[in-house]
């Protein structure tokens, strides 16, 4: 279902990456601590296994310090849909780690790559501000002026 929503929104030109991050975060919130292991490595392995069962890409751990995750998919995508799926994964993983360590995490870098835009790499690090994840900077400043139709 989620695949359909993200691909459909991207197909009509809507960027849903910010919303996808929040949805991933909320999904992990509902799991509150159920994927927490004895250490960071076990927690990441539990989250990776759980995520693979959702059918929205495979999670590969590139490194643990800093935590670098690569989300891959067999399907060709646009850059926008890859960012949506990656945003969901990054929100999900950030909250799983926050629950396990009792410290917030933030995404410090992202990258979409591959000829079919089917790879998304992101790096998570502990955040200094508890609300930093949900208040990440957007790429463009938003105007405060109302838009006319």
């Amino acid at each position: 279902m989620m695949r359909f929503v993200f691909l459909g929104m991207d197909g009509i030109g809507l960027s849903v990456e910010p919303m996808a991050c929040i949805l991933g975060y909320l999904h992990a919130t509902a799991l509150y601590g159920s994927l927490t292991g004895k250490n960071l490595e076990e927690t990441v392995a539990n989250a990776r296994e759980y995520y693979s069962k959702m059918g929205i890409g495979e999670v590969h751990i590139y490194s643990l310090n800093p935590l670098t995750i690569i989300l891959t998919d067999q399907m060709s995508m646009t850059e926008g849909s890859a960012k949506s799926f990656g945003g969901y994964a990054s929100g999900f993983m950030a909250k799983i780690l926050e629950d396990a360590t009792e410290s917030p995490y933030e995404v410090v870098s992202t990258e979409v790559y591959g000829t079919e835009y089917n790879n998304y790499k992101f790096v998570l690090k502990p955040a200094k501000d508890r609300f930093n994840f949900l208040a990440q900077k957007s790429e463009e400043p938003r105007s405060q002026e109302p838009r006319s139709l």
Side-chain angles (χ1 to χ4, degrees):
M1 179 66 168
M2 192 174 349
R3 182 179 291 275
F4 172 74
V5 171
F6 289 163
L7 292 174
M9 293 296 193
D10 181 61
I12 61 172
L14 294 175
S15 171
V16 294
E17 179 187 10
M19 178 189 71
C21 287
I22 293 169
L23 290 174
Y25 191 90
L26 291 173
H27 182 170
T29 299
L31 297 174
Y32 186 71
S34 65
L35 301 178
T36 300
K38 296 176 186 170
N39 54 40
L40 182 65
E41 292 84 3
E42 188 176 326
T43 299
V44 170
N46 292 344
R48 180 179 178 265
E49 180 182 341
Y50 180 90
Y51 197 89
S52 69
K53 292 176 183 177
M54 291 193 298
I56 54 173
E58 297 176 37
V59 172
H60 304 278
I61 308 305
Y62 184 76
S63 71
L64 285 171
N65 192 14
L67 182 57
T68 305
I69 298 173
I70 300 173
L71 180 67
T72 62
D73 202 306
Q74 298 298 318
M75 185 172 64
S76 299
M77 295 188 208
T78 65
E79 186 174 5
S81 58
K83 286 181 177 182
S84 295
F85 286 107
Y88 187 92
S90 63
F92 180 84
M93 295 300 278
K95 181 59 177 163
I96 294 297
L97 293 172
E98 180 179 324
D99 289 346
T101 63
E102 297 181 0
S103 176
Y105 275 72
E106 67 180 333
V107 177
V108 294
S109 70
T110 64
E111 177 185 359
V112 175
Y113 63 95
T115 57
E116 298 178 326
Y117 299 110
N118 56 351
N119 298 290
Y120 183 88
K121 180 171 82 170
F122 61 96
V123 178
L124 291 168
K125 287 187 176 180
K128 295 177 184 174
D129 181 4
R130 173 144 305 273
F131 301 103
N132 200 10
F133 177 79
L134 294 178
Q136 289 180 9
K137 296 180 199 175
S138 65
E139 292 178 19
E140 297 178 12
R142 294 183 184 228
S143 170
Q144 297 299 323
E145 299 174 22
R147 296 187 317 183
S148 59
L149 298 175

